[in-house]
Amino acid sequence: MRLAKAVLATSIMAATLLVALSAAGSAQEAGADATWQALKPDIFGERPIADAGPLVTLTAPTRAEDAAMVPIEIAVALPPGDARTVEKLTLIVDENPAPVAATFTFGGERHDLALATRIRVNSYSYVRAVAQLSDGSLQMAQRYVKASGGCSAPAMKDEEAALKNIGQMKMRLVQPGQLGDATKANRFARVQLMIRHPNYSGLQMDQITRLYIPAKYVDRIDVRQGDALILSMEGGISLSEDPNLQFSFEPTGQQIHVNAGDTDGRTFEGELKPAG
């Protein structure tokens, strides 16, 4: 009888501890939202933002394996008959030193889009994707990511090796699109764009000199199909080393041209003719 009571007491204590830990975790996330409340007016003013709506989805790991390269995927899909289009997408990491990781502007009349990239996360933080529609409304999805040290993590290559191949660009067609029939669900193509660049954050230390490496990162990317804009990006220090983008678009069979640049004034160019 005493043994049974001891086992029951132990079980109750364990259950109580689990509840307490769960409550602590929820409180931690709830507290972290205070940073967003302070950031939001600086980024979007007093404009209302629809939170956790069905139009925007954000996929990210709950606990990142590498805080310097956290994979994220964003999708925006407007319902059939919705006349609005997607104009911009702002990617935010609340607790990073520079919270706005990137702002993307889209060309054409985009009702659906998919975008994937890799970011740095400096400490446990909400990651947010805020889409701006053509009527000016803002739609947001968010994900709490447990990672730390991403902005100050040492670069994978030493500076000499990183600068040797800086700006080298690769593009590949991940998914071909169906030309000429706007009713087909598979009309969208998907391209992966990779740019060799250390994307120094200014918070990383040279492991030999023990001095901080000055910030140097890709701050703009412009992708066009013929003369038509697919997307442009204004980036910051929160994008990972060797920036990597995947994005969807509706192919016309014209050549895709990329023009990019960094904070040191370098320009990089690349081209891809997608299969028709």
Side-chain angles (χ1 to χ4, degrees), residues 69-252:
M69 286 195 173
V70 180
I72 62 163
E73 293 189 18
I74 304 160
V76 184
L78 303 184
D82 193 327
R84 297 175 297 175
T85 58
V86 186
E87 292 187 341
K88 289 187 177 182
L89 185 69
T90 304
L91 180 58
I92 300 163
V93 187
D94 287 5
E95 304 298 337
N96 276 10
V100 178
T103 300
F104 299 89
T105 301
F106 302 95
E109 297 184 349
R110 302 297 304 270
H111 298 276
D112 304 84
L113 63 88
L115 180 72
T117 189
R118 302 180 307 205
I119 59 172
R120 294 172 168 136
V121 177
N122 206 50
S123 60
Y124 285 25
S125 177
Y126 278 107
V127 176
R128 305 175 191 273
V130 181
Q132 175 181 307
L133 305 185
S134 55
D135 64 352
S137 64
L138 301 173
Q139 306 277 337
M140 181 174 72
Q142 63 190 30
R143 179 82 172 176
Y144 193 73
V145 176
K146 296 179 180 179
S148 60
C151 293
S152 58
M156 292 187 295
K157 311 175 192 68
D158 62 47
E159 187 168 12
E160 183 178 352
L163 297 180
K164 181 180 179 180
N165 298 315
I166 197 167
Q168 287 186 1
M169 191 179 298
K170 290 184 180 179
M171 279 190 290
R172 68 185 184 95
L173 197 62
V174 177
Q175 172 185 312
Q178 182 70 44
L179 294 176
D181 189 347
T183 64
K184 289 184 177 291
N186 63 344
R187 69 185 184 275
F188 292 107
R190 190 172 174 121
V191 161
Q192 182 180 32
L193 167 65
M194 297 160 280
I195 303 175
R196 289 286 188 190
H197 201 289
N199 253 31
Y200 292 132
S201 66
L203 303 174
Q204 297 151 306
M205 184 177 290
D206 186 302
Q207 299 302 300
I208 298 175
T209 66
R210 309 303 293 171
L211 299 175
Y212 285 102
I213 302 171
K216 186 197 317 287
Y217 55 89
V218 174
D219 62 349
R220 65 174 184 85
I221 298 175
D222 185 273
V223 185
R224 294 180 181 269
Q225 185 174 205
D227 293 328
L229 177 68
I230 295 177
L231 66 82
S232 62
M233 184 207 80
E234 295 180 11
I237 65 171
S238 295
L239 291 181
S240 71
E241 181 177 352
D242 294 336
N244 186 319
L245 293 179
Q246 282 195 34
F247 53 87
S248 63
F249 69 102
E250 192 164 349
T252 62

Side-chain angles (χ1 to χ4, degrees), residues 6-47:
V7 170
L8 178 60
T10 302
S11 299
I12 292 173
M13 290 177 63
T16 302
L17 179 60
L18 287 173
V19 170
L21 289 173
S22 176
S26 298
Q28 178 189 39
E29 293 190 19
D33 197 54
T35 301
W36 168 240
Q37 298 307 319
L39 282 174
K40 185 166 59 173
D42 293 335
I43 303 173
F44 298 106
E46 298 303 318
R47 299 166 64 187

